Amino acid sequence: MPKEVLIEVRGLKNQFGPNVIHEDLDLDIHRGEVLGIVGGSGTGKSVLLRSIVGLQAPRAGSVKVFGTDVRTASKAEMAKVENRWGVMFQDGALFSSLTVRENVEAPMRERTGLDPETRAALADLKIAMVGLPPKARSLYPSELSGGMRKRAGLARALALDPDIVFLDEPTAGLDPIGASEFDALIRNLQTSLGLTVFLVTHDLDTLHATCDRIAVLAERKVLVTGTIRELMEVDHPWVREYFHGPRAHAALLAAEG
Amino acid sequence: MSLRGRLTIETLPETQRSLGAAEAGGQIDMAAVEALDTAGAWALLQAQKRAEATGHALEIVNLSESHRHLLETVAAAMPEPERRRRTIPGRPDDGLANLGQEVAQGLRGSLTSVGFFGEVVAHLGALVLHPTRLKLTPLVHHMQEAGWNAVPIVSLMGFLIGIVLAFQGSTQLKPFGAEVYVVDLVAISILRELGILLTAIIVAGRSASAFTAAIGSMKMREEIDAMRVLGLDPIDRLVLPRLIALVLLLPALGFIASLAGLLGGGLMAWIDLGITPGMFRTQLLANTDVTHAIIGLVKAPFFAVIIAVIGCHQGMQVSGNAESLGSHTSRSVVQAIFLVIVVDAFFSIFFAVWGL
Ligand SMILES: Nc1ncnc2c1ncn2[C@@H]1O[C@H](COP(=O)(O)OP(=O)(O)OP(=O)(O)O)[C@@H](O)[C@H]1O
Ligand SMILES: [Mg+2]
């Protein structure tokens, strides 16, 4: 059975001044999968995420999310799409003048007509689901640790129970236990909610633990996609280095127990 | 009872309504439910809890595999409802306490300002001993930003003030046939007071806010902390260049504004009263002593110190959030303008007592 394509990127080109980041980049994301995006620092993973969610106007190419072209969509069409995705930015991007609970409530306040009590209760639920302690609810982002900010960012991304979440390095800066809890959480949400996850990460353990498919960004495009097993066979210097380096072996051993 | 359709965040109010009937216990049949998300699961569990609280059992049956999974996940995370203790800061019966707190906070604020001022003076002293420590690039940058770029607005302001003074003066003096004293009126008020005072106010609005915003956003992004651990002194690097730039250039700006004011006044006197530029010049040189201009310019460095110190100090006090950046920026402008006017009043008294 052909899988339903939620996001379709075709011929994407991104450029800052003379600096070409992406050229002729194609990528498909299917419903219900966890797609890992890997690539060296500065290969444009965050820029790819930004162009898919419409924050970065590409020079050329098309990006379709749920069949809607994010470049040409009208405001009303975009609002529908935005209701169905959640984004967690690399550095959290929490609203600094709101508490954690208010941050998580913010999308609900904008996009649903829920009463304040329900909103707060749902926000508390999301905060608990991402593993933040209850006392974090009323703290401001500047009073959180780096890892707690990540979790709060995820809670906000999940606020509207989206179909797809974009996570930019969710486990970077978490302690190993917290990181594996995070992996388990993403996997769990994926199975129970049928969530589709676009996951940018450098964390090999996360790749092993959560991803169904991995896309490698190199040479300005998506070089290859496939499962870890498939990628381990690929004959490209960077890919080989990445999946056969000492860290990769440790992660593989850990994953296979 | 049986539920059907989508139990998601969009349909949450309806779900809650239909679950209201289930609180007496019984069974909820989920066979016809198409979609369930965390909001729907939360509503179900909430209903179950309420039923239990009244001693009934509410069973959820015919769950699909993934829905049961979701329900378990949500159940594991169900937060304890917390008692909300709300303190309402502006409650009327707290009026006296609030007033006291505000006064105390204000006093503490001005004390730390004085402390900061002392610190800046100490660093200035150290700078005099080791002048090479001053970095020229930021100094020149701030001289351009706060000084040179303010020239157009400041001269326009001076010119317009000159016009207004000459016009108002001429209508008042004409009935007495004392039109020619318009020159003295314009010259003395602009050179002695208005030129420099209004320049300081404009610079306070432009630069105190810019200083606070720049330093405050560095504070928010931990750049100040990064400087400290690198052994760079934030006062040396951020405050002194701004302070010195303003001290050097505010007198110049005030001088430019005063010249523009005389120009505007002269123009208006010519158009309105027929006082030719030659007459204006003769009258100006004959009757207006140069001490007026000196008195005006002497005040400028003091105003510059006030503006720079308040702007930088407010920036240093910004805490982690965007709101505090905004409130400190506006506070810095208000305080700087207010203090400039207060100090100007003291100068007036001082010079009056000295008979200047
Ligand atoms: N707004 C911008 N203006 C100019 N260049 C930019 C901008 N944003 C990103 N870039 C450039 O695009 C390239 C890719 O950046 P990007 O942030 O996507 O990297 P990344 O793959 O996410 O790296 P990392 O793994 O370190 O997060 C970098 O070379 C960066 O300098
Ligand atoms: Mg990035």
Side-chain angles (χ1 to χ4, degrees), chain A residues 16 19 21 40-47 90 169 202:
Chain A
F16 295 106
N19 188 5
I21 312 292
S41 284
T43 46
K45 302 180 295 296
S46 301
V47 172
Q90 190 160 5
E169 306 199 11
H202 290 298

Side-chain angles (χ1 to χ4, degrees), chain A:
Chain A
M1 183 185 98
K3 291 182 204 142
E4 184 190 350
V5 175
L6 280 196
I7 298 180
E8 183 190 84
V9 182
R10 288 290 174 271
L12 185 73
K13 177 169 185 183
N14 274 309
Q15 189 172 359
F16 295 106
N19 188 5
V20 180
I21 312 292
H22 301 130
E23 191 146 36
D24 220 6
L25 182 148
D26 295 346
L27 183 67
D28 282 337
I29 299 164
H30 305 128
R31 178 178 287 282
E33 75 173 346
V34 180
L35 177 72
I37 308 286
V38 302
S41 284
T43 46
K45 302 180 295 296
S46 301
V47 172
L48 174 62
L49 191 158
R50 289 173 63 85
S51 20
I52 294 178
V53 299
L55 291 174
Q56 163 88 44
R59 284 291 171 91
S62 73
V63 176
K64 281 193 187 150
V65 184
F66 310 117
T68 309
D69 191 326
V70 296
R71 293 180 66 191
T72 57
S74 69
K75 260 215 157 90
E77 284 172 324
M78 260 332 261
K80 261 191 215 138
V81 173
E82 282 163 4
N83 270 341
R84 295 175 60 187
W85 74 31
V87 185
M88 173 188 159
F89 291 94
Q90 190 160 5
D91 42 16
L94 296 167
F95 302 123
S96 61
S97 49
L98 303 181
T99 62
V100 170
R101 182 195 277 130
E102 289 164 344
N103 261 287
V104 180
E105 278 183 49
M108 300 188 220
R109 196 188 300 256
E110 274 312 300
R111 304 201 175 266
T112 68
L114 297 177
D115 60 288
E117 261 103 79
T118 314
R119 238 174 20 212
L122 283 179
D124 288 351
L125 173 67
K126 294 284 148 58
I127 291 167
M129 279 174 75
V130 299
L132 281 172
K135 71 170 173 21
R137 294 169 191 164
S138 50
L139 295 181
Y140 287 91
S142 57
E143 299 165 336
L144 299 178
S145 75
M148 290 164 87
R149 266 198 286 265
K150 296 241 146 162
R151 289 167 189 268
L154 179 66
R156 190 178 67 183
L158 293 175
L160 292 178
D161 275 299
D163 289 352
I164 176 162
V165 283
F166 296 86
L167 308 177
D168 200 345
E169 306 199 11
T171 51
L174 292 190
D175 63 283
I177 301 174
S180 29
E181 279 173 4
F182 214 100
D183 296 344
L185 170 71
I186 290 171
R187 202 68 237 183
N188 198 345
L189 292 171
Q190 191 266 332
T191 41
S192 48
L193 286 174
L195 197 64
T196 309
V197 183
F198 179 99
L199 177 75
V200 176
T201 189
H202 290 298
D203 188 335
L204 286 150
D205 294 310
T206 301
L207 287 181
H208 279 289
T210 61
C211 293
D212 300 306
R213 220 156 54 93
I214 294 168
V216 179
L217 226 63
E219 297 171 7
R220 297 175 180 171
K221 53 177 178 258
V222 175
L223 200 67
V224 280
T225 59
T227 61
I228 289 199
R229 285 275 158 219
E230 287 162 8
L231 293 186
M232 288 179 79
E233 310 300 322
V234 171
D235 193 26
H236 178 275
W238 192 86
V239 181
R240 211 178 28 240
E241 183 74 14
Y242 192 89
F243 289 100
H244 290 278
R247 283 161 178 271
H249 276 294
L252 183 64
L253 284 179
E256 292 182 344

Side-chain angles (χ1 to χ4, degrees), chain A residues 96 101 120-121 126 128 161 188, chain B residues 38 42 69 77 79 82 84 321-322:
Chain A
S96 61
R101 182 195 277 130
K126 294 284 148 58
D161 275 299
N188 198 345
Chain B
T38 52
W42 171 81
H69 199 116
E82 66 176 347
R84 295 247 184 121
N321 63 55

Side-chain angles (χ1 to χ4, degrees), chain B residues 44 71 137-138 266 274 304 349:
Chain B
L44 284 171
L71 217 53
T137 320
I349 298 170

